[in-house]
């Protein structure tokens, strides 16, 4: 791992690294915030997954999360949203290709060579972090929009791996909205049965672990009715008795102003669950 940024922040350190990823067969960038408590002890980790067009920079520069992570003694890891580079398949639109990995393992060429973001986040990244940093194996996961989709599906697909999960304005049913239909058909092919493995509304129906789902959603979000549709997840979860809490936030949109307003509550929620984990 090569450290390319190193800044003191609320008594801890905000670092950015580049490393070679086996999962995506190329270089990846990731941000790691270590709170001041990490100087003397191992700390739990919150993994953050960002949305379409984002890199590791959006969250660390706009969300204001470091203050709360320092208060609660929590590391935060924020990865990029896709593989990058001149040899990596791409598309001219913002919602497919580089910056739009959708946290799936692609099976269709040309995407299948590099676009294995599910494997990267669920397996390679925690192993890398726990090997190289003073952290425990107590993990939480959260994300925004496409990253909210990633956080929910990865938590639901990996029982026992995460102590808690939350999301801001997640794409809960990618099989039934334009963003998801375009990405999943490109990365996985036209067989919609294969899409079910990356759709939170489908996964919640057969989840082996009923990990509570915490979701914040702005009611002024321009994508609420067309791309996000959180009510679909609430209906699916309630049908099988899976705990879900949807908090509609009046006047808030899809931006990082929304995330910054409530990230402190999310970090406090994860800190509590991480402390109570056995």
């Amino acid at each position: 791992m090569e450290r390319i940024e190193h800044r003191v922040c609320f008594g801890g350190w905000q670092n950015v690294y580049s490393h070679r990823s086996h999962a995506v067969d190329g270089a990846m960038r990731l941000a790691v915030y270590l709170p001041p408590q990490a100087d003397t002890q191992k700390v739990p980790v919150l993994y953050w997954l960002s949305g379409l067009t984002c890199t590791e920079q959006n969250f660390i520069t706009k969300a204001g999360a470091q203050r709360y992570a320092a208060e609660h003694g929590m590391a935060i890891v924020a990865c990029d949203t896709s593989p990058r580079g001149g040899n990596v398949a791409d598309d001219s639109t913002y919602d497919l290709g580089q910056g739009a990995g959708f946290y799936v393992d692609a099976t269709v060429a040309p995407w299948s060579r590099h676009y294995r973001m599910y494997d990267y986040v669920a397996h390679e990244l925690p192993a890398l972090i726990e090997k190289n940093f003073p952290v425990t194996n107590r993990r939480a996961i959260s994300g925004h929009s496409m990253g909210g989709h990633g956080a929910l599906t990865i938590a639901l697909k990996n029982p026992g791996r995460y102590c808690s999960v939350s999301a801001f304005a997640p794409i809960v049913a990618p099989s039934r909205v334009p963003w998801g239909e375009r990405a999943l058909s490109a990365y996985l092919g036209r067989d919609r049965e294969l899409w079910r493995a990356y759709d939170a509304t489908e996964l919640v129906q057969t989840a082996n672990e009923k990990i509570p789902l915490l979701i914040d959603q702005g009611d002024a979000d321009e994508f609420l009715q067309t791309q996000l549709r959180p009510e679909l997840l609430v209906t699916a979860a309630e049908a099988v008795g899976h705990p879900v809490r949807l908090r509609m936030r009046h006047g808030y949109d899809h931006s990082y102003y929304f995330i910054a307003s409530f990230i402190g509550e999310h970090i406090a929620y994860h800190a509590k669950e991480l402390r109570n984990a056995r």
Side-chain angles (χ1 to χ4, degrees):
M1 297 180 67
E2 177 189 2
R3 191 174 70 190
I4 54 181
E5 293 184 24
H6 183 56
R7 295 184 173 91
V8 67
C9 187
F10 291 100
W13 291 98
Q14 180 62 71
N15 299 314
V16 178
Y17 298 87
S18 176
H19 75 102
R20 175 77 183 180
S21 166
H22 297 290
V24 306
D25 189 23
M28 287 292 290
R29 285 169 57 113
L30 62 107
V32 180
Y33 178 72
L34 292 176
Q37 294 88 337
D39 289 343
T40 58
Q41 65 189 55
K42 290 187 175 183
V43 297
V45 185
L46 171 64
Y47 290 89
W48 173 267
L49 307 182
S50 290
L52 287 166
T53 75
C54 291
T55 70
E56 80 290 340
Q57 291 292 324
N58 297 72
F59 181 74
I60 66 173
T61 59
K62 295 181 179 181
Q66 295 92 339
R67 170 185 174 180
Y68 305 104
E71 290 177 3
H72 292 283
M74 179 189 303
I76 301 182
V77 174
C79 64
D80 201 349
T81 52
S82 78
R84 307 272 181 174
N87 65 333
V88 175
D90 199 9
D91 189 85
S92 59
T93 57
Y94 75 95
D95 56 353
L96 187 68
Q98 295 187 35
F102 263 83
Y103 305 102
V104 306
D105 284 351
T107 57
V108 175
W111 314 104
S112 54
R113 177 179 174 187
H114 296 288
Y115 284 76
R116 300 186 58 82
M117 288 298 294
Y118 171 81
D119 187 22
Y120 178 72
V121 172
H123 301 119
E124 184 175 15
L125 190 56
L128 182 74
I129 296 299
E130 289 165 22
K131 177 181 178 181
N132 290 282
F133 297 95
V135 300
T136 70
N137 61 0
R138 291 188 176 185
R139 315 175 192 97
I141 191 166
S142 186
H144 171 231
S145 194
M146 178 185 72
H149 142 77
L152 293 171
T153 55
I154 289 171
L156 290 168
K157 286 164 68 73
N158 293 276
R161 184 167 298 173
Y162 300 96
C163 300
S164 55
V165 58
S166 72
F168 290 82
I171 304 170
V172 302
S175 299
R176 288 183 273 178
V177 298
W179 275 342
E181 289 178 321
R182 183 161 193 258
L184 296 182
S185 62
Y187 298 144
L188 304 176
R190 296 292 181 178
D191 185 352
R192 286 177 172 262
E193 283 298 307
L194 300 178
W195 301 4
R196 294 164 61 95
Y198 298 103
D199 188 313
T201 63
E202 299 288 346
L203 293 169
V204 76
Q205 298 177 45
T206 57
N208 293 327
E209 176 193 31
K210 293 190 182 300
I211 185 171
L213 311 178
L214 173 62
I215 298 171
D216 270 338
Q217 173 65 61
D219 66 6
D221 190 321
E222 62 269 40
F223 305 113
L224 176 58
Q225 301 299 329
T226 57
Q227 305 283 11
L228 307 177
R229 305 187 64 189
E231 74 281 358
L232 296 177
L233 180 58
V234 172
T235 298
E238 290 180 344
V240 295
H242 196 116
V244 59
R245 185 181 182 191
L246 172 62
R247 304 188 296 194
M248 297 300 298
R249 301 294 194 172
H250 178 64
Y252 286 90
D253 60 16
H254 200 69
S255 71
Y256 263 85
Y257 295 108
F258 167 50
I259 297 171
S261 298
F262 301 107
I263 191 65
E265 293 183 22
H266 279 242
I267 290 177
Y269 169 76
H270 290 297
K272 180 180 177 180
E273 295 301 313
L274 288 162
R275 285 194 302 268
N276 294 337
R278 295 180 179 179

